Amino acid sequence: MSVQTAKSREEVPEEISAVNLVDPKSYLEHDMDAYWRRLRADHPLHWHPPVDGVPGFWVVSRYADVMALYRDNQRLTSEKGNVLVTLLAGGDSAAGQMLAVTDGQRHKDLRNVMLKAFSPRALSKVAALVRVNARRMIAEAVRRGEGDFAAEVASVIPLTTVGGLLGVPVKDHAYLLGLTKSSLSSDEADQAPEEAFLARNEILLYFSDLVAERRADPQDDVISTLTASDINGVPLTDQDIVFNCYSLILGGDETSRLTMIDSLYTLSREPEQWKRLKEGSVTLESATEEALRWATPAMNFGRTALVDVEMAGGTIKAGDVVTLWNTSANRDESVFDHPYVLDLGRSPNKHITFGYGPHFCLGAYLARVEVKEMLDAMRTFTRGVELTGEPRRIHSNLMAGMSTLPVRFLPDEAGLATADS
Ligand code: HEM
């Protein structure tokens, strides 16, 4: 880690330096909205000091700066990790193989190969499956009357979606769901880091077996497309494919799940906005975009500087880790009118929930379909929901959201009658 600049040594007010962004507890204990407002206004390039043996890193909070850094894969790299856990450990073992932690020509080539697997044909098949699943699961949940929306609906739709895309047999979905939950965030505060490590390894092992099966007996799915692909005549290795399956399942599961949970929770507290959705005075598309901005499930991503980068009156030195906070950028008052107000008709709504630039989320289309179908089924089959208990928030320095959402559904009988059509 390089020597810090004068800017980094500026006195940081106590209420800012007291927030340890590496510790998942911070997000539950502090008023983070106030924190980000303060950073955007006064410390747009903030040096987060080393804490408890964890190295320091830069924190970028303004929308324009976050966009500029996402776009810049020349002076910044993802190959030393793109999330705090790997960035601060000094690297990612999948660098150069897994799309999100690969840069340069290899990233372009790999992204093109992966995009083949996300062909309009494959996506329209999966989108249709999402609609059927969302309608069925939500209709069943509404007919039961009460339940945990997180466990019964929001957990199942994303995994079924990415599972369907990858060709994961339905019988294995619940097993993989358990592993993805343990590997990224934690429903429990006291989960040991080794548990996350073991869960990640189990996912990799699971996909090694599936890749071997598909090589022997190709099907109409992403894994089979990847086993048949090459870059400049060199076929993808098993390990290349396994890392990218891992990335798709992790990237596509928790983020979408947290968005759906957050959307329903938020709508339960915003009757006016719910009314707009229910009555159709806002489009499903704009409601989906605002739900995505509001939830911002992936709070941050990060990069490592390859050269000195001047920004916001300071210098990110070559070798420094810099984190880009979607959470803050999506509430930047210089870009969004009344950013702390939920407005399902918001337009324009250029949120940064899916990142930006060369690493822009590969699954954005699918994630949008999932949220849209969930909102559509909710507004068709219900008159709304009432919370029946306090939701539990997850513990993570990467993801934000809730792991439970106990609700009572208020059925819309006329809408519900259309569920089976
Ligand atoms: C990349 C967010 C859903 C697969 C990203 C990035 C963000 C993001 C912010 C950029 C990471 C970076 O710049 O380092 C989200 C959110 C989602 C979502 C908020 C849901 C609401 C999905 C889904 C899939 C997926 C459903 C797969 C089906 C990926 C992949 C990348 C990525 C493969 C890496 C792209 C690259 O490096 O070129 N996602 N994602 N994501 N996402 Fe998503």
Side-chain angles (χ1 to χ4, degrees), residues 70 82 99-100 107 111 118 162 165 247-248 251-252 255-256 259 292 297 301 303 326 353-355 358-363 366-367 370:
Y70 266 129
N82 71 334
L99 193 64
H107 175 259
R111 197 166 159 109
F118 282 71
V162 192
L165 189 76
S247 148
L248 288 175
T255 44
S256 305
T259 309
L292 284 159
F301 278 98
R303 304 287 189 257
N326 303 336
T353 300
F354 293 118
H359 288 280
F360 179 78
C361 177
L362 204 65
L366 278 185
E370 290 173 299

Side-chain angles (χ1 to χ4, degrees), residues 148-165:
D148 179 4
F149 178 79
E152 292 166 22
V153 178
S155 285
V156 193
I157 295 176
L159 205 94
T160 325
T161 309
V162 192
L165 189 76

Side-chain angles (χ1 to χ4, degrees), residues 70-84:
Y70 266 129
R71 198 182 307 136
D72 191 343
N73 65 347
Q74 301 298 313
R75 296 184 301 166
L76 301 166
T77 182
S78 297
E79 296 213 346
K80 293 184 190 304
N82 71 334
V83 293
L84 275 172

Side-chain angles (χ1 to χ4, degrees), residues 145-223:
E146 275 187 32
D148 179 4
F149 178 79
E152 292 166 22
V153 178
S155 285
V156 193
I157 295 176
L159 205 94
T160 325
T161 309
V162 192
L165 189 76
L166 287 170
V168 172
V170 175
K171 66 173 173 45
D172 298 341
H173 285 185
Y175 167 70
L176 276 179
L177 179 64
L179 293 178
T180 60
K181 277 192 181 173
S182 312
S183 60
L184 266 193
S185 76
S186 171
D187 289 0
E188 305 304 329
D190 53 2
Q191 178 182 284
E194 305 81 65
E195 237 177 273
F197 176 77
L198 286 176
R200 280 181 217 131
N201 271 348
E202 270 188 64
I203 298 177
L204 293 174
L205 283 176
Y206 176 85
F207 281 112
S208 310
D209 289 346
L210 201 57
V211 169
E213 276 178 38
R214 291 299 184 269
R215 280 210 194 275
D217 180 18
Q219 310 278 323
D220 183 16
D221 57 36
V222 166
I223 298 186

Side-chain angles (χ1 to χ4, degrees), residues 339-361:
Y340 291 92
V341 172
L342 179 83
D343 171 7
L344 294 187
R346 184 179 289 280
S347 173
N349 191 354
K350 293 195 175 307
H351 62 73
I352 209 154
T353 300
F354 293 118
Y356 186 70
H359 288 280
F360 179 78
C361 177

